[in-house]
Amino acid sequence: MTKYIFVTGGVTSSLGKGIISASLAKLLQARGLSATIQKFDPYINVDPGTLNPYEHGECYVTDDGAETDLDLGYYERFLNVPTSQANNVTTGRIYQTVIQKERKGDYLGKTVQVIPHITDEIKRRMMLLGQSGEFNVVITELGGTVGDIESLPYLEAVRQMKWDVGSDNCLVIHLTLLPYLEAAKELKTKPTQHSVKQLQNAGIQPDLLVCRTDHDITMDIRRKVALFCNVDVSSVIEAKTAKTVYDVPLLMLEEQLDRVVINKLRIMDKKEPDLKQWKRFLKQLKNPTHKIKIGLIGKYIELKDAYKSIYESFILAGAKNECYVEVIPVQSDYIDKNNVKNKLEGLDGILVAPGFGDRGFEGKINAVQFARENSIPFFGICLGMQTAVIEFARNVLHLQDANSTEMDKKTAHPIIHLMKEQETITKKGGTMRLGKYPCQIKKESKAYQIYKKEMIEERHRHRFEFNNDYKSQLEEAGMICSGIYPDKNLVEIIEIPKHPWFIAAQFHPEYKSTVENPHPLFVSFIKACMKYSR
Ligand code: GLN
């Protein structure tokens, strides 16, 4: 029987439900259980693919091409198990399914209502991964905060789930905040009491409370929270603000979160968690022997979350190299020919980020040119690759107005153009080239030395592509196309062999970097930056 764990949030948003869920899943996995995590988001977009990064941070992409919440990135980085379309569900998706069923006449003349039709669809999706038989434990993170109007159908579904599968098979963890009042020199429990009351009003008694705090929680406070929130003292878990999110699994281990969970769910296998590999990673992370500075050139840099997986990939690949990577975000909007040297001088490497639209594009071109001409390690991702090819066409092939048709529809040299199958697409949602595709790597290339294999699979999210009409010109001038999607002959990786490290990819390696397997391109790029810095 699959066990279901629900994680709700109270008092404020941003308490880190995703990290707590991923940490608990990690501990259960380390005990030999197979666990997965899914996120239910209460907004009406069918998926976050159409959301501006400023609204919602990065859009994370799965192997099967789902555009998802960035928390799924943490699930994969922690567990090293791929997620899928089923791991992220939104209110929009739920309603879309129910309305489509209604239009087909599946409800046989009944009035379609939030209860039971919407809640039934929520429950069906809550159990989908559990029913696959692949997982002992399914952790479901509920987005939003208890008390929000849009969360109500989800809470009702959780209440019913507890009843449907029985309390031995289902539990609710409530993540809450204990604020510290400087004047009183005290942690306050009242907001937590109120937020648990909200849950109780919805018919849910939480089984465990994970309390975010900046100070130690004394036994007195634990008892007080337990008494007023109706849980046992051992179910009050302290989650003190950690130095890095990667410390959280060990902090949760110390607090015995996993032990309380398996006892409550009557999971009989009491094997102690094996976290050797995780601890080794933390040791490397915390004892760097090198430090480098890498410029992240993008147009959403004011919001770190917009490039979450890239930042995390630097941390993971940095640890592998025992190197602390300081990422310097550079707003591409403000890089021009005159200030580029000033802005990028002193960096040990330059990464041009993915992106959409023409804002900041010319700044990215200037950054690529600076990296190429000064032999600074350069890594381009998605739009970063497209920029690198255009820069080369403009400044090496002297095709002055080379461009992408995304930026200039009428350019005389459409070095990057819309993919054939994209030409007739008018709808924006879920219509890009999404998810994993195979890529064949040329043997005589740096990419081959890095991946050490000929066939790889990487994840995509784009509409535009390299225009093969320009391939031979570019190759004659010293750029090679080292990765190709064989079915459609699409260029996926380019390199400049004469440059110490100049690689760009049409896919997103950052989505596949995990604690266990930091992405080889990031590992190699950091190595090159370390060499450059010496
Ligand atoms: N805007 C470009 C395209 O659609 C690149 C997308 C990206 O960087 N993710 O092809």
Side-chain angles (χ1 to χ4, degrees):
M1 171 83 198
T2 308
K3 309 283 184 178
Y4 293 93
I5 300 173
F6 294 94
V7 180
T8 60
V11 184
T12 71
S13 57
S14 306
L15 289 182
K17 285 192 295 277
I19 304 297
I20 293 293
S21 304
S23 300
L24 173 59
K26 185 77 221 170
L27 295 178
L28 297 176
Q29 186 191 54
R31 282 177 176 272
L33 297 163
S34 62
T36 188
I37 318 170
Q38 52 188 4
K39 175 145 197 214
F40 281 56
D41 275 313
Y43 52 74
I44 296 174
N45 304 65
V46 170
D47 62 41
T50 53
L51 289 173
N52 186 314
Y54 284 131
E55 282 275 315
H56 193 257
E58 161 191 282
C59 177
Y60 186 77
V61 179
T62 59
D63 276 342
D64 65 352
E67 295 177 283
T68 74
D69 186 81
L70 56 78
D71 273 351
L72 271 76
Y74 277 111
Y75 308 163
E76 290 203 14
R77 284 189 285 275
F78 275 48
L79 298 182
N80 199 39
V81 175
T83 54
S84 69
Q85 189 82 55
N87 293 72
N88 194 191
V89 175
T90 68
T91 293
R93 174 90 57 198
I94 302 274
Y95 272 81
Q96 190 187 45
T97 311
V98 171
I99 291 169
Q100 276 165 359
K101 271 170 86 177
E102 185 276 336
R103 291 289 80 185
K104 276 197 350 224
D106 287 358
Y107 292 110
L108 305 174
K110 287 249 179 276
T111 308
V112 181
Q113 293 176 299
V114 173
I115 300 171
H117 302 102
I118 293 296
T119 45
D120 278 354
E121 178 58 20
I122 294 175
K123 283 200 297 179
R124 187 183 72 79
R125 290 183 182 262
M126 282 174 168
M127 286 186 285
L128 217 52
L129 286 167
Q131 284 160 347
S132 71
E134 260 180 82
F135 303 105
N136 307 120
V137 183
V138 176
I139 301 178
T140 304
E141 177 192 344
L142 294 188
T145 307
V146 166
D148 297 345
I149 291 175
E150 55 263 47
S151 298
L152 286 174
Y154 293 95
L155 294 181
E156 172 59 13
V158 171
R159 186 191 70 77
Q160 293 185 18
M161 280 283 292
K162 258 197 144 174
W163 192 85
D164 289 345
V165 300
S167 55
D168 284 356
N169 298 315
C170 178
L171 53 87
V172 176
I173 299 177
H174 188 55
L175 178 62
T176 172
L177 175 72
L178 297 184
Y180 184 78
L181 281 196
E182 193 56 51
K185 301 254 179 296
E186 242 185 346
L187 282 173
K188 303 309 270 181
T189 65
K190 195 71 85 188
T192 294
Q193 296 178 38
H194 282 299
S195 107
V196 169
K197 285 242 155 61
Q198 296 262 20
L199 266 181
Q200 288 166 340
N201 279 344
I204 298 171
Q205 169 59 52
D207 301 280
L208 282 96
L209 297 175
V210 176
C211 305
R212 277 296 307 276
T213 164
D214 292 329
H215 297 262
D216 292 331
I217 306 180
T218 60
M219 201 30 120
D220 277 354
I221 298 271
R222 283 185 203 250
R223 279 203 203 96
K224 189 170 172 186
V225 171
L227 176 66
F228 290 118
C229 299
N230 217 11
V231 298
D232 32 72
V233 183
S234 64
S235 299
V236 179
I237 307 286
E238 172 187 292
K240 215 166 142 185
T241 304
K243 277 220 175 68
T244 86
V245 296
Y246 301 101
D247 286 320
V248 179
L250 295 184
L251 294 177
M252 290 302 104
L253 181 72
E254 258 171 57
E255 283 287 303
Q256 307 204 349
L257 172 64
D258 56 324
R259 187 180 297 274
V260 179
V261 163
I262 62 166
N263 284 343
K264 282 192 188 290
L265 289 174
R266 298 192 194 285
I267 294 173
M268 292 310 161
D269 184 5
K270 298 276 159 80
K271 198 176 119 213
E272 286 306 303
D274 172 7
L275 288 159
K276 270 200 284 317
Q277 200 172 358
W278 192 272
K279 287 182 183 160
R280 201 176 318 129
F281 153 73
L282 277 181
K283 197 167 161 210
Q284 285 178 315
L285 179 70
K286 295 191 169 178
N287 298 289
T289 50
H290 296 81
K291 186 186 164 191
I292 53 168
K293 278 188 190 169
I294 294 182
L296 170 63
I297 321 297
K299 68 169 177 176
Y300 309 111
I301 47 116
E302 300 81 1
L303 185 74
K304 239 181 143 179
D305 274 0
Y307 301 110
K308 193 85 212 166
S309 293
I310 294 178
Y311 277 97
E312 297 305 314
S313 295
F314 277 131
I315 293 176
L316 304 178
K320 178 96 181 167
N321 283 300
E322 293 180 4
C323 177
Y324 172 70
V325 180
E326 186 185 353
V327 180
I328 313 279
V330 186
Q331 173 54 264
S332 57
D333 251 0
Y334 308 135
I335 306 177
D336 59 38
K337 284 208 181 313
N338 300 320
N339 66 18
V340 61
K341 181 167 188 278
N342 217 339
K343 283 195 184 279
L344 305 184
E345 210 170 31
L347 295 170
D348 306 312
I350 290 174
L351 184 144
V352 172
F356 294 85
D358 61 0
R359 179 169 71 84
F361 179 67
E362 292 301 323
K364 288 183 172 175
I365 293 270
N366 294 325
V368 176
Q369 184 177 11
F370 185 76
R372 184 177 56 76
E373 291 179 348
N374 294 289
S375 300
I376 303 168
F378 169 83
F379 193 4
I381 298 181
C382 206
L383 182 62
M385 177 189 112
Q386 299 174 356
T387 315
V389 180
I390 294 166
E391 189 280 325
F392 198 85
R394 285 188 194 173
N395 298 322
V396 180
L397 296 183
H398 305 296
L399 303 174
Q400 244 38 291
D401 67 344
N403 217 330
S404 161
T405 53
E406 179 180 10
M407 317 302 162
D408 175 7
K409 275 201 174 63
K410 299 200 180 80
T411 172
H413 294 293
I415 302 287
I416 304 294
H417 63 177
L418 205 56
M419 282 183 279
K420 261 262 151 319
E421 57 268 41
Q422 288 284 335
E423 280 167 5
T424 50
I425 292 176
T426 50
K427 282 193 186 148
K428 290 272 182 278
T431 55
M432 280 187 250
R433 181 176 181 228
L434 290 168
K436 83 171 173 194
Y437 286 90
C439 168
Q440 180 154 26
I441 298 186
K442 249 202 194 115
K443 279 217 154 165
E444 306 73 39
S445 68
K446 203 172 239 125
Y448 184 79
Q449 288 164 19
I450 294 169
Y451 279 99
K452 298 186 176 62
K453 51 184 172 188
E454 251 179 291
M455 285 308 284
I456 55 162
E457 278 180 333
E458 293 282 3
R459 299 182 191 170
H460 293 253
R461 182 171 188 251
H462 60 110
R463 292 185 201 283
F464 294 83
E465 60 158 336
F466 182 106
N467 182 346
N468 281 328
D469 291 349
Y470 291 88
K471 192 170 170 187
S472 53
Q473 276 183 76
L474 288 160
E475 295 214 302
E476 274 157 33
M479 174 174 272
I480 64 163
C481 301
S482 54
I484 304 284
Y485 169 48
D487 287 17
K488 298 209 163 142
N489 195 25
L490 300 183
V491 173
E492 312 279 41
I493 309 177
I494 61 99
E495 305 179 14
I496 300 178
K498 275 223 177 93
H499 188 286
W501 207 100
F502 191 107
I503 299 184
Q506 186 56 74
F507 49 77
H508 291 261
E510 71 274 25
Y511 295 146
K512 282 183 62 167
S513 217
T514 68
V515 168
E516 219 165 285
N517 285 320
H519 197 285
L521 284 174
F522 275 90
V523 175
S524 170
F525 177 52
I526 289 173
K527 238 186 216 114
C529 299
M530 286 161 68
K531 198 164 160 204
Y532 179 84
S533 77
R534 284 198 281 265

